[in-house]
């Protein structure tokens, strides 16, 4: 079975500081994809960053970067220069491989509620 | 502008009523999904579709049903709403491909009294 674990239910960070959100996962697939999604309060869920398991280079998107440790099955998200607009629930997600017709379906972690304080 | 829409955004309804939650996307995506999310909790996949006339049940058992008669439309129906159905329902779509990135609608917050 594929699982995603986010061990930090809530975190807070001061504006302009850096914060790292943790995510571990388990899968028996050889190739898979990992995602971080952001869900602001009462707003739409949006994709923050994605990583293909075959790529060793860590993905970066502006102030967002990941630390992908394949052997440890770890996929943490680093937010640099935190802004008030980063306040949101952050979900780590793993895509299923080609298994039972559900290829590409996402498995989500429980989320981390991040508060950025002025 | 290409987007994914859900209506209604909020719905309060009495027990036993039949309801349909609407989801439409203008992105031309073949794949569509319905998730159930309790406040502050993770998303659970309840239904998905890989194209017209194709629907499958997701990981979380649900009493709801779905249909996919048109590519852009993926409604979810509850024949007889119960308080246990109170939750947020998120619709998503994707084009498939390598990453199969999913795009989410704004959600419908359902309360059954």
């Amino acid at each position: 079975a594929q699982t995603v674990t986010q061990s930090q239910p809530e975190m807070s960070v001061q504006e302009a500081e850096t914060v790292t959100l943790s995510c571990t996962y388990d899968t028996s697939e050889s190739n898979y994809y990992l995602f971080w999604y952001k869900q602001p309060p009462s707003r739409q869920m949006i994709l923050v960053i994605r990583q293909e398991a075959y790529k060793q280079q860590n993905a970066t998107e502006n102030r967002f970067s990941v630390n992908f440790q394949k052997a440890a099955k770890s996929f943490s998200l680093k937010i640099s220069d935190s802004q008030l607009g980063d306040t949101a629930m952050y979900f780590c997600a793993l895509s299923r491989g080609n298994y039972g017709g559900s290829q590409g379906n996402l498995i989500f972690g429980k989320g981390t509620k991040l508060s950025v304080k002025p | 502008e290409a987007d994914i829409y859900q209506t209604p955004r909020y719905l309060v309804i009495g027990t036993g009523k039949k309801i349909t939650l609407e989801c439409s996307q203008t992105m031309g995506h073949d794949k569509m999904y319905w998730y159930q999310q309790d406040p502050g909790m993770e998303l659970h996949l309840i239904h998905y579709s890989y194209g017209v006339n194709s629907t499958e049940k997701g990981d979380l058992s649900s009493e709801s049903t779905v249909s996919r008669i048109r590519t852009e439309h993926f409604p979810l129906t509850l024949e007889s709403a119960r308080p246990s159905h109170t939750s947020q329902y998120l619709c998503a779509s994707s084009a498939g491909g390598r990453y199969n990135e999913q795009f989410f609608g704004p959600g419908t917050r359902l309360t059954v009294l």
Side-chain angles (χ1 to χ4, degrees), chain A residues 43-60:
Chain A
R43 292 179 60 189
Q44 236 153 309
M45 179 104 71
I46 57 172
L47 180 68
V48 174
I49 199 165
R50 62 190 185 191
Q51 174 84 40
E52 182 176 0
Y54 269 137
K55 291 189 174 180
Q56 293 188 346
Q57 187 174 6
N58 289 324
T60 62

Side-chain angles (χ1 to χ4, degrees), chain B residues 3-20:
Chain B
D3 209 339
I4 180 164
Y5 307 92
Q6 288 186 246
T7 56
R9 292 290 311 277
Y10 302 92
L11 179 62
V12 181
I13 202 162
T15 296
K17 300 289 187 183
K18 177 180 179 179
I19 60 169
T20 296

